[in-house]
Amino acid sequence: MMEERFTTVRGQPLRYLVGGQGKPLLLCHGFLSSAEEFGGRFSALGAHRTLIIPDLPGNGASPPLRGRNSAGAMADVLFDLLTDLDIDRFDVGGLCLGATVACAVAKRAGDRAERLVLHTPLLSPDLMRRRYRDQVRVLGRRPLWDGVVWLSHQRWISDMYKRFVIVEGDVDERTAAINYENQRRADPRAAREWLNDCLHRDDVDVVAARAERTLIIVARHDRLVNVERLKELIATLPELQVFTDTDQGHGWNEAAVHRQLEVLKAFFGNCHGNGGNGMLAPAQSLVAGGNPVQGRPSLRDTATRPLSPA
């Protein structure tokens, strides 16, 4: 069960969901979304972590920031929220554009932010597919942005975009309705500022400098993230683990959620007999392209086959 709360941080009204038990896990939803993105599909993590899931400013029931709605400014609000809640150490995760906020929180928190999960992240412009990067640069300008907003408010166009660009696969009616409502509620100015901000951010150094473990979940058929380049980068970072969902695009459906939940539980150390202390089992070989690589983290890279549902 998730509890809905409202608070004010830095004079900024903020809605968030909280639930579960154990070490706090702050989750940052993706573009044009809300806390329900995690609070519904990934609420099973509440058996192992206390989930804190805000509507980021300008999304859901949280109004936009008075100033520029950048990832860094949003992270400042979330950092102060954790301080107000008397939370010292925590884990943090982010989806898509929410990964920029999660990285900004992790950078500001230093060693207070322990494990980091980034799902289909937009870490830097160089790690985006060129077509998508150019699309953002062009459509993020006025007056074209006004047309984008209008299109996002048309349900049939929204559903087609998710099916053929985001590549979610089969999307149930309830999920599609929630996604559409989130698009309608998102503040257009905040959305545009947040999206343009990602073209000027580079969070690779943030990830590379981390001493604690980081997990990146990527999708083989992602049309936004340059998965090949991202995996080349990952191979150079020893504290970083990767899970490739071979059956999924940038979006997710229920089958993908089931697969990825098992990976997240393993990463947080709460399944396969690992206990609840956040420690992984002894390292196994990481499989990359079918070839074992010794001395790498214990999660299996499923670039050649999907993780079988339990």
Side-chain angles (χ1 to χ4, degrees):
M1 296 293 295
M2 303 296 293
E3 175 187 348
E4 182 183 46
R5 295 183 183 179
F6 294 86
T7 188
T8 300
V9 182
R10 294 189 170 203
Q12 168 73 28
L14 191 73
R15 172 189 181 257
Y16 66 101
L17 303 180
V18 62
Q21 59 185 356
K23 181 181 175 183
L25 170 58
L26 175 70
L27 293 173
C28 304
H29 63 73
F31 188 57
L32 300 180
S33 191
S34 70
E36 277 71 22
E37 185 167 45
F38 284 115
R41 291 179 167 187
F42 284 89
S43 58
L45 288 176
H48 315 292
R49 290 290 189 275
T50 297
L51 305 182
I52 302 168
I53 317 173
D55 283 348
L56 296 175
N59 295 270
S62 295
L65 300 173
R66 297 185 186 90
R68 185 165 169 263
N69 290 266
S70 66
M74 293 182 191
D76 288 342
V77 172
L78 300 190
F79 185 85
D80 286 1
L81 171 65
L82 296 175
T83 301
D84 291 347
L85 295 174
D86 293 325
I87 293 173
D88 182 25
R89 293 186 176 274
F90 58 92
D91 297 328
V92 59
L95 165 70
C96 181
L97 210 55
T100 63
V101 182
C103 285
V105 170
K107 181 177 181 179
R108 175 165 179 182
D111 59 7
R112 287 178 58 187
E114 298 184 337
R115 301 212 165 187
L116 174 65
V117 175
L118 303 175
H119 190 296
T120 52
L122 301 177
L123 286 179
S124 78
D126 289 340
L127 295 176
M128 299 178 196
R129 295 206 181 276
R130 182 176 179 178
R131 181 178 297 178
Y132 177 69
R133 186 173 66 238
D134 292 344
Q135 178 184 348
V136 171
R137 283 177 175 153
V138 172
L139 298 181
R141 300 172 182 171
R142 302 289 300 273
L144 290 176
W145 182 250
D146 296 332
V148 172
V149 173
W150 183 87
L151 289 172
S152 72
H153 290 180
Q154 311 307 308
R155 173 65 184 270
W156 68 276
I157 294 177
S158 172
D159 289 350
M160 288 184 62
Y161 183 81
K162 291 180 183 301
R163 181 174 295 276
F164 297 109
V165 179
I166 303 300
V167 195
E168 287 190 1
D170 294 331
V171 180
D172 61 272
E173 177 62 25
R174 179 176 177 274
T175 299
I178 292 174
N179 289 339
Y180 177 63
E181 183 60 25
N182 283 333
Q183 290 176 195
R184 289 177 58 86
R185 292 194 297 170
D187 181 84
R189 175 182 67 87
R192 177 174 174 268
E193 290 174 353
W194 188 18
L195 189 61
N196 284 329
D197 181 61
C198 79
L199 296 178
H200 304 285
R201 291 187 61 85
D202 190 335
D203 292 312
V204 172
D205 289 343
V206 175
V207 175
R210 286 180 47 77
E212 296 287 345
R213 293 191 179 186
T214 300
L215 166 66
I216 292 184
I217 297 177
V218 296
R220 181 180 179 184
H221 305 296
D222 199 320
R223 295 182 181 177
L224 278 60
V225 178
N226 190 323
V227 178
E228 295 77 16
R229 262 193 177 176
L230 180 58
K231 292 180 73 172
E232 289 175 3
L233 170 67
I234 288 169
T236 68
L237 304 176
E239 292 300 320
L240 201 150
Q241 302 170 249
V242 60
F243 170 75
T244 305
D245 194 321
T246 60
D247 290 345
Q248 199 63 33
H250 190 78
W252 49 19
N253 54 28
E254 292 303 321
V257 169
H258 188 84
R259 290 190 297 270
Q260 294 166 21
L261 266 174
E262 297 307 309
V263 173
L264 290 168
K265 290 176 184 177
F267 179 71
F268 288 125
N270 290 293
C271 65
H272 307 306
N274 291 334
N277 60 358
M279 298 300 291
L280 288 171
Q284 305 168 359
S285 298
L286 180 72
V287 175
N291 299 316
V293 181
Q294 300 297 328
R296 295 296 303 276
S298 61
L299 282 184
R300 189 174 297 276
D301 183 324
T302 56
T304 56
R305 60 187 181 192
L307 184 69
S308 300

